[in-house]
Amino acid sequence: MTSPGVSTRRTRTRSWPATGRARYSVQAADGTLHGPHEGHDAIRAHFGGTIGRQTDTRRHVITNVRVASVAGATSTVAAYLTLMVTVDGVLRPRCTGTYRFVVREEGGELRFDESSVTLDGAF
């Protein structure tokens, strides 16, 4: 399935290809687990609610992407996150963390099956 982008007046996310069983979760720095959100509607509701509460502009800078494992049509990918925030024209880092993605090949396309982020600070 392709997830439609979530839009607000400040932020627009692009569509991303996902499997029909896609899952997304966030582990906050205080230990709180948000999710897992399972399926298109739950993931979209999570992002819509989160983005809807933000009054700034955010960009996720993803670096040090590496394939951690491959098993058949499934790959696990790890990466670092630096969350950058712009408020009143001032850009600053907000927090860091790590991403873990599980990507599956379906019908000749790579699709997200799982995505999780562990944050080092408040987002």
Side-chain angles (χ1 to χ4, degrees):
M1 112 178 104
T2 300
S3 174
V6 177
S7 298
T8 68
R9 60 188 163 92
R10 290 180 187 75
T11 305
R12 179 178 308 273
T13 60
R14 295 183 182 198
S15 297
W16 51 277
T19 66
R21 60 188 174 276
R23 295 169 41 127
Y24 176 78
S25 62
V26 176
Q27 179 77 45
D30 67 4
T32 303
L33 178 64
H34 301 274
H37 307 284
E38 298 184 34
H40 171 268
D41 292 340
I43 294 169
R44 186 165 188 213
H46 166 74
F47 281 117
T50 300
I51 291 169
R53 290 188 304 271
Q54 295 170 353
T55 58
D56 51 27
T57 301
R58 295 173 181 221
R59 297 291 180 258
H60 293 216
V61 180
I62 302 172
T63 59
N64 293 1
V65 178
R66 69 177 180 86
V67 176
S69 67
V70 177
T74 302
S75 298
T76 301
V77 179
Y80 292 126
L81 162 70
T82 303
L83 178 61
M84 302 299 292
V85 177
T86 303
V87 177
D88 297 326
V90 177
L91 176 68
R92 70 184 100 171
R94 176 66 188 237
C95 79
T96 59
T98 57
Y99 271 114
R100 178 185 170 277
F101 303 104
V102 175
V103 181
R104 296 187 196 282
E105 185 175 354
E106 291 185 350
E109 290 186 13
L110 293 176
R111 296 184 175 275
F112 287 97
D113 194 43
E114 295 180 32
S115 178
S116 60
V117 62
T118 302
L119 298 173
D120 299 327
F123 71 98

